[in-house]
Amino acid sequence: MTTVSPLLKALICSSLLLMSLQLTYPKNKYVIKDGSLELYWEITGQNVTFALKLIGGKGWAGVGLGTSMINADIITMELANNQIYVRDRYSKAYSVPTLDTDLGGKSDVTLIESEIGNGFIAARFSRSLNTGDAND
């Protein structure tokens, strides 16, 4: 029987984990001028899939759907307690957008996958183009 050192086991497990955490990005891409945020999106049938990659940041980033931040449907990607959350929000003013569920709506966003990498956080998520939710 072959004995494998604990260090080698840890390296193998870490390598397998890193290989499994590579996000699949939708085909359309927009990069903020300073390169700190990448937005990907793709429409398939009645759904839209987004991916956000926040480079060099810890905290949050978002996608706003509307003509301004007032009365806009906003989806945020947030890092908290070393975990990524995707939240469905609505903005009534130039301030922190409120969770749709706190306004009597529902969360229409589905997290597909997320990754906390070396110097970045990323998430891929989707929602229906027409949710039927008044806050979307």
Side-chain angles (χ1 to χ4, degrees):
M1 182 166 118
T2 304
T3 304
V4 178
S5 76
L7 177 59
L8 183 56
K9 284 182 187 177
L11 289 172
I12 292 169
C13 289
S14 296
S15 296
L16 291 173
L17 181 61
L18 287 174
M19 285 189 292
S20 69
L21 289 178
Q22 295 179 359
L23 249 58
T24 304
Y25 291 98
K27 64 180 181 178
N28 301 298
K29 179 180 178 180
Y30 177 78
V31 178
I32 302 297
K33 286 183 182 182
D34 68 2
S36 63
L37 181 67
E38 297 175 4
L39 167 66
Y40 300 81
W41 72 95
E42 184 172 2
I43 295 174
T44 307
Q46 296 301 307
N47 294 306
V48 59
T49 300
F50 293 101
L52 283 173
K53 184 174 185 180
L54 181 61
I55 300 165
K58 295 178 182 178
W60 69 277
V63 176
L65 307 172
T67 57
S68 78
M69 194 165 167
I70 297 174
N71 296 322
D73 182 21
I74 297 179
I75 302 167
T76 58
M77 171 186 70
E78 305 167 28
L79 177 63
N81 301 319
N82 209 32
Q83 187 169 351
I84 296 175
Y85 299 90
V86 176
R87 297 196 167 111
D88 191 2
R89 296 177 173 272
Y90 189 79
S91 177
K92 293 183 177 184
Y94 291 100
S95 61
V96 177
T98 306
L99 291 170
D100 275 16
T101 53
D102 290 348
L103 296 170
K106 58 188 172 103
S107 178
D108 299 301
V109 180
T110 302
L111 176 63
I112 299 168
E113 59 182 333
S114 63
E115 179 177 3
I116 301 171
N118 186 13
F120 71 91
I121 60 173
R124 185 166 62 110
F125 49 92
S126 68
R127 61 162 271 187
S128 175
L129 290 171
N130 183 2
T131 65
D133 188 336
N135 297 321
D136 288 341

